[in-house]
Amino acid sequence: MLANLKKLTEIEETNNIPKNIIDIAKLNIKLLHREQDGFITLAGKEDKAWVQHHYKYNELYENIEKALNLHANLYITPNSFWKPQRKIEYIRHLNSLFIDVDFYKIEKYKNKNHLEVMELIKKDIFNKNMLPS
């Protein structure tokens, strides 16, 4: 299924995705990449292996609906790369920083949902002065 990601332009459109979801995906791409010249990585997990492919802004923006129609858990890199490889030494544009909180892997938090974990983070981290005194 995700093997088709490398040929987004060749996938036929099926229009199964609601317009508001497509608009949100396009807005995210636009806000993060604003027609930059680097490569953007679109990735997903297929079985237990990561599948990733790299696109220029216009190709990804114009074809994101096709990717959404794969009904996969997809990720788009917030930063772009000089080369079509997702490696730190190839970062072209540093647009934002994200943290992936895999709380479900921690025994203490595995039965909590994402909203509960966000509240804990807000209380434990964001309400404290993180700067050295």
Side-chain angles (χ1 to χ4, degrees):
M1 175 169 64
L2 292 177
N4 292 329
L5 285 178
K6 67 180 172 183
K7 297 180 182 178
L8 278 182
T9 55
E10 297 174 12
I11 298 173
E12 288 186 38
E13 291 204 28
T14 57
N15 300 321
N16 291 334
I17 305 299
K19 183 179 180 331
N20 67 318
I21 300 296
I22 297 164
D23 290 345
I24 290 168
K26 285 187 169 188
L27 178 62
N28 277 301
I29 294 167
K30 193 173 192 175
L31 288 173
L32 283 169
H33 297 286
R34 291 189 186 92
E35 302 187 37
Q36 294 173 343
D37 59 351
F39 288 93
I40 306 162
T41 305
L42 178 64
K45 215 168 197 183
E46 187 168 39
D47 297 320
K48 293 186 180 189
W50 277 98
V51 176
Q52 59 184 12
H53 300 288
H54 315 280
Y55 301 94
K56 290 291 192 167
Y57 173 86
N58 286 335
E59 183 181 19
L60 182 60
Y61 185 87
E62 295 301 324
N63 292 286
I64 192 62
E65 183 176 356
K66 295 174 184 180
L68 294 171
N69 273 305
L70 295 173
H71 299 287
N73 198 358
L74 300 172
Y75 303 89
I76 296 175
T77 53
N79 306 309
S80 63
F81 302 88
W82 285 103
K83 296 170 72 169
Q85 291 181 353
R86 191 173 55 92
K87 291 185 174 184
I88 194 144
E89 61 263 30
Y90 299 137
I91 287 181
R92 170 79 171 112
H93 300 103
L94 187 60
N95 301 314
S96 62
L97 301 172
F98 282 82
I99 298 173
D100 184 11
V101 180
D102 293 329
F103 62 89
Y104 58 89
K105 294 179 180 180
I106 302 169
E107 187 66 33
K108 183 176 173 180
Y109 304 112
K110 72 178 184 179
N111 293 320
K112 298 202 177 293
N113 66 44
H114 70 283
L115 295 174
E116 292 170 317
V117 172
M118 285 300 300
E119 280 304 311
L120 289 170
I121 290 170
K122 281 196 260 183
K123 286 178 186 166
D124 291 346
I125 296 173
F126 295 126
N127 287 338
K128 293 181 182 173
N129 183 357
M130 301 292 289
L131 300 173
S133 42

